[in-house]
């Protein structure tokens, strides 16, 4: 499975977190406003980054600029 190799994959780009205002899920404990994160993969709706836990997580693009 490709997603198991994303953590070691080269970084596509970096994005900055601009908010953690989630309607449905709690993301403030894994994302920090103002911090830059390495993008490992991207779809139309989600960005897959290495979050504060050190693991790859998928988040809506609305949290980043």
């Amino acid at each position: 499975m490709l997603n198991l190799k994303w953590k070691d994959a080269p970084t596509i780009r970096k994005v900055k977190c601009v908010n953690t205002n989630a309607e449905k899920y709690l993301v403030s404990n894994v994302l920090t406003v103002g911090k830059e994160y390495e993008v490992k993969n991207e779809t139309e709706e989600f960005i897959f980054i290495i979050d504060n836990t050190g693991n790859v997580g998928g988040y809506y693009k609305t949290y980043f600029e």
Side-chain angles (χ1 to χ4, degrees):
M1 294 188 346
L2 291 175
N3 61 333
L4 299 177
K5 299 178 183 179
W6 285 349
K7 189 172 182 179
D8 300 324
T11 301
I12 297 172
R13 62 187 171 105
K14 290 193 175 194
V15 291
K16 186 176 183 179
C17 180
V18 292
N19 74 65
T20 56
N21 303 328
E23 291 179 23
K24 219 175 184 183
Y25 306 104
L26 181 63
V27 297
S28 60
N29 53 351
V30 292
L31 296 177
T32 305
V33 176
K35 184 175 178 183
E36 285 192 347
Y37 295 95
E38 298 178 359
V39 176
K40 296 298 182 174
N41 197 4
E42 189 171 358
T43 65
E44 284 185 29
E45 191 175 6
F46 297 100
I47 292 180
F48 296 89
I49 62 163
I50 296 181
D51 58 24
N52 294 347
T53 64
N55 296 316
V56 175
Y59 301 95
Y60 288 114
K61 289 184 174 183
T62 57
Y63 302 129
F64 307 98
E65 64 175 25

